[in-house]
Amino acid sequence: MAQKAAAVAVDFSRIYTSLGLGKETIASLQAFRKRHADAQRLSNHYANQPTTVDFAHYRNVLKNKAVVDEAEKILKDFKPVTYDVSAHIKAIETFEAKAVAKAKETEQKIDVELKELQATLANIEDARPFDQLTTEDVAKAHPRILEAVETMMKKGKFTVPGYKEKFGDLNVM
C-alpha cells in the first residue's frame, strides 16, 4: 500500500524536465511504467481469482467421471517447478549499483557545470556595457589582440585573415 502511495506522489513529468532527459529516455521510461502498471493490474486480477477447483460440481455436470478423477489426481500430484533466480537478482542489483553510481557521478558533473554557468552569468551581469569598453580594457582581457595589432602595425598590413572569405570584398574599384 505504501508503494502505491509513493508511486502516486511522484510527479514524473517534473522529473523528466528537471533532469533534462532525452526524448528516447523519456519514451523508454514511460513504456516501462506502462508495462509495470499492466503487470500490476494483471497480478491483482489473478490474485483475486479463486484458486480451488470444485470437482464435485464437475462430477455432477459431466457424464464421464473418470476424466474428473484423473484431473483431480493430476492436480493433487502437481508440484510447481522452482527456479533459482538469485543469479538474476544479483545481476539486477549489480546493474542498479552501477546505475546509481553513474547517476551520482552525473549529478556531480552537473553541479560543477551549474556552478560554472552561475559564475559566467554573474560575470555577464556584472560586466560593463560594450559601448563603455576601452581598447585598454580589451587589451588587458586578451593580450593576444594587442600583440596581433602591433604586429600588423609593424608590417603595415591592416587586413584581418579570413575576413574577405567570410564577408566578401566591398571595394568598388
Side-chain angles (χ1 to χ4, degrees):
M1 208 44 115
Q3 291 173 339
K4 194 176 219 181
V8 171
V10 175
D11 184 10
F12 283 100
S13 60
R14 195 174 120 220
I15 290 173
Y16 298 151
T17 56
S18 66
L19 292 178
L21 300 175
K23 292 178 183 177
E24 293 176 7
T25 306
I26 292 172
S28 297
L29 284 172
Q30 288 173 339
F32 176 77
R33 286 183 53 221
K34 183 182 181 307
R35 287 193 313 267
H36 179 262
D38 292 344
Q40 274 188 324
R41 190 174 54 255
L42 281 174
S43 174
N44 291 336
H45 173 73
Y46 289 125
N48 295 332
Q49 299 257 336
T51 57
T52 58
V53 179
D54 185 11
F55 288 106
H57 170 74
Y58 289 110
R59 281 194 182 91
N60 290 336
V61 174
L62 298 174
K63 294 180 183 179
N64 190 352
K65 314 252 187 274
V67 171
V68 177
D69 292 337
E70 186 176 338
E72 186 176 18
K73 180 181 178 278
I74 290 171
L75 185 64
K76 285 181 183 176
D77 294 342
F78 176 74
K79 299 283 186 223
V81 177
T82 57
Y83 292 100
D84 183 22
V85 293
S86 60
H88 295 289
I89 292 173
K90 187 175 182 180
I92 290 170
E93 288 172 350
T94 304
F95 176 76
E96 182 180 351
K98 287 180 182 178
V100 168
K102 188 72 172 173
K104 287 181 180 178
E105 179 182 320
T106 303
E107 179 187 17
Q108 291 172 351
K109 287 180 182 178
I110 289 173
D111 287 343
V112 168
E113 189 173 331
L114 273 173
K115 288 177 184 175
E116 290 174 359
L117 289 173
Q118 287 173 344
T120 302
L121 182 62
N123 191 10
I124 290 170
E125 290 172 349
D126 295 340
R128 287 192 311 200
F130 184 74
D131 57 352
Q132 294 178 4
L133 288 178
T134 63
T135 54
E136 289 83 20
D137 295 333
V138 174
K140 284 180 188 175
H142 294 287
R144 291 181 297 155
I145 294 174
L146 186 60
E147 292 172 9
V149 170
E150 287 175 357
T151 305
M152 288 169 47
M153 294 289 285
K154 287 177 186 174
K155 293 182 178 179
K157 182 179 179 182
F158 299 101
T159 59
V160 178
Y163 183 86
K164 286 185 181 179
E165 290 81 10
K166 188 169 186 178
F167 300 106
D169 192 3
L170 299 177
N171 289 337
V172 178
M173 293 186 195

